[in-house]
Amino acid sequence: MPDTLNTPHAPAKDTATGVSGAVHQDRRHDSAHKHVSGEAVYVDDLREPAGLLHAYLGLSERAHARVRSLDLSAVRAAPGVAAVLTADDVPGANDIGSMSLGDEPLFARDLVQHVGQPMFLVVAATRDQARRACKLARADYEELEPVLDITAARKAGELVFKGMTLKRGESSAAIASAPRRLKGRVAMGGQDHFYLEGQIAMAIPGEDEEVTVHSSTQHPSEVQHVVSHVLHVPSNAVTVEVRRMGGAFGGKETQSNLFAAAAALAARITGRPVKLRPDRDDDMCITGKRHDFEVDYEVGFDETGRILGIEGEFLARCGFSADVSGPITDRALFHADNSYYYPDVTLTSRPLKTNTVSNTAFRGFGGPQGMVAAERVIEEIAYALGMDPLDVRKRNFYGHGERDVTPYHQTVEDNIIDRLVEELEASSGYRERRAAIRAHNAGNPLLRKGIALTPVKFGISFTATQYNQAGALVHVYNDGSIHLNHGGTEMGQGLFTKVAQVVAEEFQVDIETVRITATTTGKVPNSSATAASSGSDLNGKAAQAACRTIKERLVAFAAENWKVAPDEVEFLPGRVRIGTEEITFAAMAHLAYMARVPLSATGFYKTPKIHWDRAKGQGRPFYYFAYGAAVSEVTVDTLTGEYVVDRVDILHDVGKSLNPILDKGQIEGGFVQGMGWLTMEELWWDGQGRLRTHAPSTYKIPACGDRPRIFNVNLLENARNAEDTIFRSKAVGEPPLMLGISVLYALSDAVASVAGHSLPPRLDAPATPERVLAAIERLRAEAGTAQPALAPA
């Protein structure tokens, strides 16, 4: 649905450029006022077309079973039911998998592989009638032994996708000859996306087998591809549109395929519009999560804390199908170095099959799990040597011109982590605060404090090279107004605002002149997912290319008609200078139209320099790296394991920011989401494979009261991107999430204080109060220290 940036609350023009809303300016999100007022239109808010039917999914009640029979007679006879669809009703491929492996059916037929797997679809006059009818199905199952967790999956050994190995040097020999060695295992749980707007799709049938799908998706082109295959029609018969999502975080990259395909199938068969929206409980049971990992590591190091050799095996619970687990476990390996140079290294991944929902993309895409493991290794070395973990971190940072090659053989050419950490260490008062915390803990046996400074180095680009492309469409109308469309999707992150700023900058017009329009496959084809933190990089460059094509035409027109050289035509704020004359941009557009100059253009961009050979584990998968660091301070109640985050200081690298205030918002939100993953967000399945944390009552995400009491967020200054990105900015969607790792290791520092920091706490995630308390009691037992006595009342 179209939208404009012209609101009564728009900020004044920038005095330096004269253009309101150009790049490098603070500009609020284009829909911010609509978000808070409830005016923002999502799929469920669209005006319902006449004859709309509502659909609901019938789900498996077993984690692993053969389906002997499925009796749907009572479902079909239920009030209001218009149709009941199964795998037998699919005219094309009964598959919605993003990897086209044929392992993720739209509807299970003879075999169910997780509780909550769709088996049929009920289409009825109302949503309530469809939901109630689903409960009338009767399935007869032959139970099979389920594989539910990583422990069982290790034994079963079945993979959903071939693992990968990254290797440089001879790690086993380096570890064996190292002065010091240690090994261990770190575990981290998954995370539900908990987007505010749940999964939803509305399909409207057209003529000649056409269908329009309004989908809450990060990847309209993939939804188009999946729907076309399910319906057995070409892609040009399917149009997918999305104006905005109410959050996604990776959970609508592939997971939206199911809902769009089911709604489109129902619309095709009934000939009427169909909407499908699960409730929150079913949404959480049906859709994939962040992968939980166990990482086994062994490291050799010297007496100064420098790593000499390291090996790691990364095991992930992937669920019943591949989804994007292969690329996710790949990226975990890509980020298992975090900011550290490993001279000799071998890293392997094992994407394990389990009878749980197929896990999927989530902000960071495997990178966070790799970094948590890296930081555990650093912490273990620090405890073994009696050093401050920050000193071990700094000892192992990538170098400049040496010690600069990653485990995947990419040279780190833009390294600024040492400078960034040095600045944060000083500005946050890390050393002084650490000393004060030690003094506090010495005199306070019950409330213990901890502090940690952890870095982030995050690679930017899709590791599937073909996804690193984007298209855009720009129209300039003869009144000077501008229409913008591109392949990126808006999920609250501010992408549409940033790309509109690029257009405003290129034409030197106020951003109110630019009309933002819904992403649609009918305007920009073959788009990539808005994911991998690449939305602004890709779509901003594509929009810029389209603008420059139109500008070249306008310059040529002006030069010819005013008899001046092309370099005498200049776009100034709100106007165009032609020789010694100036006219408004609107006048130029009108004159160009009258002279039959085309004022519409497509733009295309593909990321340069990148290449990747997965079989060899070598290449340059990333165009550049984004950096950041955070210092977190916590207080832990050693009697209960409860804790508070007292203070967080963040310094983050966004290059030359397109929109500093939006970037700060992404950093704050990313940090809190990462903190939630590592502290309180716990997914729990019972012995029958049923997800028991499937609603806000049982699955806890951070609330306002959980935010840091003091929260200082700053952007690194004088850090323009070394690569030719859009106005030298850097991606900011995913990297900040990993700043939350500092909270986990601050908690670990507080826990370690109960044993005088003599033992490694080995605190796994999520570090719930129960897990924190268990770690405290274990360390006390190992150290032989007693729990402090309470003073008498």
Side-chain angles (χ1 to χ4, degrees):
M1 178 168 289
D3 191 14
T4 69
L5 290 165
N6 189 12
T7 74
H9 307 292
K13 291 184 179 182
D14 183 88
T15 55
T17 67
V19 173
S20 171
V23 297
H24 311 314
Q25 297 180 25
D26 284 345
R27 186 78 188 185
R28 72 153 197 224
H29 190 289
D30 69 278
S31 297
H33 61 295
K34 297 179 183 178
H35 294 159
V36 298
S37 67
E39 296 175 80
V41 176
Y42 299 91
V43 174
D44 207 30
D45 301 316
L46 293 171
R47 187 180 299 277
E48 295 184 347
L52 178 73
L53 295 171
H54 296 265
Y56 214 81
L57 291 162
L59 308 176
S60 165
E61 297 176 343
R62 301 292 186 273
H64 194 200
R66 292 189 180 90
V67 182
R68 293 196 185 102
S69 64
L70 179 62
D71 183 359
L72 299 174
S73 56
V75 179
R76 291 189 170 95
V81 171
V84 180
L85 310 179
T86 68
D88 294 335
D89 297 297
V90 177
N94 183 36
D95 181 63
I96 55 170
S98 62
M99 303 289 284
S100 299
L101 300 176
D103 63 346
E104 190 170 353
L106 173 62
F107 301 122
R109 189 192 301 268
D110 304 316
L111 178 71
V112 293
Q113 298 187 76
H114 75 91
V115 174
Q117 184 173 5
M119 300 174 69
F120 60 93
L121 184 77
V122 177
V123 188
T126 69
R127 183 168 176 268
D128 183 65
Q129 288 174 330
R131 289 182 66 195
R132 291 178 182 276
C134 281
K135 303 300 183 184
L136 302 177
R138 295 294 176 263
D140 182 23
Y141 299 101
E142 178 189 342
E143 300 265 5
L144 302 173
E145 186 67 27
V147 175
L148 299 177
D149 56 25
I150 291 178
T151 300
R154 280 177 185 263
K155 296 177 183 177
E158 187 175 358
L159 305 180
V160 297
F161 200 81
K162 184 179 179 180
M164 184 178 74
T165 297
L166 301 181
K167 182 176 175 63
R168 196 189 65 250
E170 298 299 328
S171 56
S172 295
I175 293 170
S177 62
R180 304 287 292 266
R181 296 182 296 278
L182 61 83
K183 64 172 62 176
R185 175 180 295 174
V186 57
M188 60 214 81
Q191 185 179 23
D192 189 84
H193 303 86
F194 218 90
Y195 24 65
L196 289 179
E197 177 205 27
Q199 298 283 351
I200 186 170
M202 182 169 68
I204 303 172
E207 58 186 43
D208 299 325
E209 297 187 325
E210 292 179 349
V211 63
T212 298
V213 182
H214 296 274
S215 173
S216 185
T217 179
Q218 295 172 243
H219 200 172
S221 286
E222 182 172 293
V223 168
Q224 178 190 39
H225 172 85
V226 168
V227 169
S228 71
H229 279 66
V230 168
L231 299 185
H232 196 57
V233 297
S235 291
N236 62 13
V238 180
T239 300
V240 179
E241 180 172 317
V242 51
R243 170 56 182 90
R244 61 172 62 85
M245 290 165 276
F249 312 114
K252 296 176 180 177
E253 185 174 342
T254 65
Q255 301 300 285
S256 50
N257 294 348
L258 163 65
F259 305 94
L265 176 64
R268 164 81 168 273
I269 289 177
T270 64
R272 294 167 63 179
V274 174
K275 184 191 291 188
L276 170 56
R277 176 175 63 85
D279 63 22
R280 178 66 66 175
D281 298 79
D282 287 340
D283 190 319
M284 293 182 71
C285 292
I286 294 168
T287 58
K289 324 295 179 195
R290 185 187 297 280
H291 293 64
D292 44 333
F293 271 66
E294 289 182 2
V295 182
D296 295 324
Y297 57 86
E298 185 172 9
V299 60
F301 54 99
D302 65 19
E303 297 295 341
T304 70
R306 176 160 283 183
I307 293 171
L308 304 176
I310 188 170
E311 294 179 349
E313 184 178 37
F314 289 70
L315 299 95
R317 171 163 61 174
C318 297
F320 79 99
S321 69
D323 196 80
V324 286
S325 291
I328 285 170
T329 50
D330 288 358
R331 192 173 276 258
L333 299 192
F334 288 137
H335 291 84
D337 59 340
N338 194 0
S339 303
Y340 312 119
Y341 174 69
Y342 298 153
D344 292 272
V345 55
T346 303
L347 305 170
T348 59
S349 65
R350 292 180 63 193
L352 296 168
K353 180 172 182 174
T354 54
N355 293 117
T356 50
V357 65
S358 190
N359 283 328
T360 192
F362 200 129
R363 197 176 193 174
F365 205 79
Q369 294 94 321
M371 288 189 194
V372 168
E375 296 306 326
R376 168 64 71 83
V377 170
I378 292 292
E379 182 186 67
E380 292 272 299
I381 293 171
Y383 280 100
L385 297 174
M387 296 176 63
D388 182 338
L390 178 57
D391 292 329
V392 179
R393 291 182 171 103
K394 295 169 73 172
R395 180 74 172 149
N396 287 284
F397 279 162
Y398 277 102
H400 301 271
E402 61 176 1
R403 294 173 49 83
D404 59 356
V405 180
T406 66
Y408 42 94
H409 299 261
Q410 176 171 345
T411 300
V412 180
E413 300 172 343
D414 59 1
N415 182 16
I416 57 172
I417 194 62
D418 46 358
R419 170 201 155 193
L420 188 150
V421 167
E422 183 179 351
E423 287 188 22
L424 180 62
E425 181 183 346
S427 65
S428 67
Y430 170 82
R431 299 290 181 180
E432 298 83 357
R433 289 165 59 194
R434 187 170 188 268
I437 284 171
R438 291 297 177 97
H440 165 89
N441 288 343
N444 196 321
L446 297 180
L447 297 178
R448 294 298 180 96
K449 289 182 172 291
I451 191 170
L453 189 161
T454 60
V456 167
K457 174 183 70 67
F458 192 80
I460 304 299
S461 291
F462 287 98
T463 51
T465 305
Q466 69 273 16
Y467 285 153
N468 294 284
Q469 60 175 298
L473 176 65
V474 174
H475 302 319
V476 176
Y477 293 99
N478 64 21
D479 64 352
S481 62
I482 298 167
H483 172 109
L484 167 64
N485 196 270
H486 55 78
T489 57
E490 177 61 57
M491 60 199 86
Q493 83 279 37
L495 172 64
F496 280 16
T497 303
K498 285 186 172 183
V499 180
Q501 287 179 277
V502 169
V503 174
E505 178 74 30
E506 285 295 323
F507 287 118
Q508 285 293 288
V509 298
D510 292 347
I511 198 170
E512 290 82 6
T513 306
V514 182
R515 178 170 288 265
I516 292 172
T517 56
T519 307
T520 172
T521 57
K523 289 185 178 179
V524 176
N526 309 317
S527 59
S528 298
T530 304
S533 302
S534 62
S536 296
D537 284 1
L538 295 176
N539 296 286
K541 276 287 194 180
Q544 183 183 62
C547 293
R548 290 184 174 180
T549 297
I550 297 171
K551 286 170 68 178
E552 288 171 5
R553 296 171 186 164
L554 292 174
V555 167
F557 160 70
E560 178 183 356
N561 284 271
W562 271 262
K563 309 302 180 186
V564 299
D567 61 6
E568 292 184 77
V569 181
E570 183 181 4
F571 286 78
L572 301 172
R575 62 198 191 281
V576 182
R577 180 181 63 79
I578 309 168
T580 59
E581 184 179 346
E582 291 187 3
I583 62 174
T584 66
F585 178 80
M588 169 63 86
H590 181 74
L591 290 171
Y593 161 74
M594 295 298 291
R596 297 183 295 176
V597 175
L599 296 177
S600 176
T602 60
F604 180 78
Y605 175 74
K606 62 178 182 179
T607 309
K609 298 185 178 182
I610 55 175
H611 56 91
W612 175 242
D613 187 329
R614 188 177 190 267
K616 292 182 179 178
Q618 297 182 18
R620 179 176 176 166
F622 303 120
Y623 188 30
Y624 65 88
F625 296 95
Y627 300 87
V631 180
S632 290
E633 181 180 332
V634 301
T635 301
V636 175
D637 185 330
T638 61
L639 296 180
T640 65
E642 295 175 295
Y643 48 81
V644 294
V645 181
D646 299 312
R647 175 176 169 182
V648 171
D649 296 81
I650 291 172
L651 184 60
H652 197 73
D653 161 39
V654 296
K656 189 168 175 58
S657 175
L658 289 175
N659 187 322
I661 198 68
L662 284 185
D663 285 350
K664 281 191 174 183
Q666 284 292 291
I667 294 165
E668 292 166 356
F671 173 86
V672 171
Q673 191 170 51
M675 178 186 74
W677 166 51
L678 294 170
T679 58
M680 65 179 62
E681 297 187 44
E682 187 171 28
L683 294 163
W684 190 79
W685 281 265
D686 66 16
Q688 286 73 51
R690 296 173 295 188
L691 179 65
R692 292 305 199 179
T693 49
H694 55 73
S697 58
T698 50
Y699 184 80
K700 298 300 182 183
I701 64 172
C704 295
D706 298 305
R707 66 171 177 78
R709 301 300 190 259
I710 301 172
F711 200 6
N712 300 316
V713 177
N714 289 291
L715 307 181
L716 184 67
E717 296 182 353
N718 302 314
R720 68 196 302 267
N721 199 333
E723 297 294 348
D724 183 23
T725 53
I726 187 70
F727 293 106
R728 299 289 175 166
S729 62
K730 283 191 176 184
V732 73
E734 291 172 296
L737 183 134
M738 284 142 280
L739 298 170
I741 293 172
S742 60
V743 175
L744 176 64
Y745 287 98
L747 289 170
S748 184
D749 182 53
V751 169
S753 70
V754 303
H757 291 90
S758 61
L759 299 169
R762 294 180 176 169
L763 181 64
D764 288 337
T768 59
E770 295 88 345
R771 190 167 277 127
V772 168
L773 183 59
I776 289 171
E777 293 176 345
R778 173 172 49 80
L779 258 61
R780 281 184 174 142
E782 291 178 11
T785 57
Q787 176 175 302
L790 290 174

